Amino acid sequence: MSLFVSQLLEQGLLENLNFTVGIVGSRKLLNYEELDDGWRLLGDRLTIIGFDADPDACDAANREMSQRQEPWHEQHLPYVLGASQEERTLYVAKELACTSLLPPNEGYLQRFEQLHDAMALDFEIPVQTATLDQVWLHEKLPTLDFLITDVQGADLEILQGAEKILDQALLVQSEVLFAPLYIGQAYFSDTEQWLRSRRFNFHSLTAFGRPRRRFTADVSPSNRVSKEQILWGDALFCRDLWDTNGDFSDMQTHEHQVLKLACMMDLLGFSDYAYDALQTCAYSLEFTLI
């Protein structure tokens, strides 16, 4: 729930700002109910650009958007994205949402409840990948502010193919892995180091896990008291606009960037960060916190 965006709108401080959110794996990630609660406050200042390997899913999302007649701008584009333009194999899982450019590590997945059933390979198809930088230029898309990826183990590849557009971005949310779910995958540490080298700081993590299959098979439900191993998560990274002393960095620091970052963090629920950013930027705002 946003604390500050509505007040910034009322005070006219967002008049000349537009927000562009790119979503790779948009079929899984776009939740209109969440937009109804927060991001829709931005109205026609918001542009959502979704990418999915499934053309039918993109067509369905575009039809739904047309029928809903929402105030923001939105389109879904059918591209298979990667680190470079090349021929690859798409490993289609039994649960379509688990489809990946990487083959599932089925031996490992069998150790966990429900994972193997969803992520097991169904069939393979050859695909041609493109980079997000190439697609962004070809489609003449607006400057990116927030990139969200969820592509089942290949997220770092997406980021590596988006270096140019990430130069202007302020937020990245990437699915990250802590266990070998896919063959040839990157781990959280790889993604964190790559983004940190490009001035994105790790901010927060929403973690997910599954119980071990042997435990659920041998122990009755009433006795299940075990915690679960963290296997993957959604990690949020923020553009580093401040130096180590808490002052503005001389590189790529402008008031409108701080204001954009504050708005997006507020909409994501990190209102403490938003307030700190607004105060650092010396906006004389009077907020009433309820």
Side-chain angles (χ1 to χ4, degrees):
M1 180 65 69
S2 166
L3 290 181
F4 305 129
V5 169
S6 59
Q7 296 181 53
L8 293 168
L9 286 165
E10 290 171 3
Q11 296 183 39
L13 293 172
L14 305 185
E15 286 298 321
N16 299 316
L17 292 184
N18 294 304
F19 299 79
T20 300
V21 180
I23 306 176
V24 183
S26 56
R27 173 175 54 186
K28 292 188 297 178
L29 294 181
L30 192 58
N31 185 326
Y32 287 103
E33 296 309 316
E34 290 182 2
L35 286 171
D36 290 343
D37 289 340
W39 289 83
R40 73 186 324 273
L41 285 172
L42 298 176
D44 63 2
R45 296 177 179 83
L46 174 63
T47 297
I48 297 173
I49 304 165
F51 303 89
D52 199 277
D54 185 349
D56 292 337
C58 291
D59 288 342
N62 287 327
R63 286 195 303 271
E64 181 179 1
M65 182 59 191
S66 177
Q67 294 168 359
R68 290 174 64 94
Q69 297 182 333
E70 298 288 1
W72 61 81
H73 311 285
E74 182 180 327
Q75 61 177 318
H76 295 262
L77 303 173
Y79 286 97
V80 183
L81 298 171
S84 62
Q85 186 174 0
E86 59 182 338
E87 294 182 359
R88 294 283 294 272
T89 298
L90 189 67
Y91 298 90
V92 181
K94 293 186 181 297
E95 175 63 48
L96 284 178
C98 297
T99 297
S100 176
L101 284 172
L102 302 173
N105 187 357
E106 297 200 31
Y108 185 79
L109 295 174
Q110 288 177 349
R111 299 166 62 186
F112 295 91
E113 185 76 12
Q114 301 175 340
L115 275 189
H116 184 266
D117 295 341
M119 297 172 63
L121 181 63
D122 193 6
F123 59 91
E124 304 175 10
I125 55 174
V127 293
Q128 179 73 34
T129 62
T131 70
L132 201 50
D133 280 336
Q134 292 170 331
V135 171
W136 215 268
L137 181 64
H138 175 73
E139 298 286 348
K140 298 181 173 61
L141 300 174
T143 300
L144 177 69
D145 296 304
F146 184 13
L147 178 62
I148 303 172
T149 70
D150 187 343
V151 291
Q152 302 303 116
D155 296 77
L156 181 54
E157 292 189 43
I158 304 299
L159 300 178
Q160 291 170 335
E163 282 201 76
K164 291 181 181 178
I165 62 171
L166 284 177
D167 281 345
Q168 300 300 317
L170 297 169
L171 286 174
V172 173
Q173 179 181 297
S174 175
E175 184 181 55
V176 293
L177 304 181
F178 297 94
L181 306 183
Y182 293 92
I183 297 172
Q185 69 177 49
Y187 287 85
F188 166 78
S189 57
D190 302 310
T191 302
E192 190 277 331
Q193 290 179 28
W194 193 89
L195 283 168
R196 179 155 41 92
S197 71
R198 287 152 182 82
R199 297 183 60 81
F200 286 94
N201 289 336
F202 171 63
H203 181 271
S204 57
L205 175 74
T206 301
F208 303 96
R210 290 289 184 273
R212 303 270 171 164
R213 187 183 295 272
R214 290 178 179 175
F215 180 77
T216 58
D218 297 343
V219 181
S220 65
S222 61
N223 293 327
R224 290 185 189 177
V225 294
S226 176
K227 295 182 180 180
E228 298 173 357
Q229 177 183 348
I230 295 175
L231 300 174
W232 75 94
D234 294 325
L236 183 67
F237 299 86
C238 301
R239 169 70 69 185
D240 180 11
L241 296 179
W242 293 268
D243 62 24
T244 54
N245 296 319
D247 300 321
F248 280 129
S249 167
D250 292 332
M251 186 172 69
Q252 296 182 342
T253 300
H254 305 284
E255 270 196 358
H256 76 272
Q257 286 182 300
V258 178
L259 187 53
K260 276 190 173 186
L261 182 57
C263 287
M264 292 188 292
M265 290 297 280
D266 186 35
L267 291 169
L268 290 170
F270 300 105
S271 299
D272 65 322
Y273 188 106
Y275 188 73
D276 184 43
L278 292 169
Q279 293 302 305
T280 302
C281 204
Y283 284 99
S284 56
L285 304 173
E286 294 183 6
F287 297 110
T288 302
L289 302 182
I290 300 176

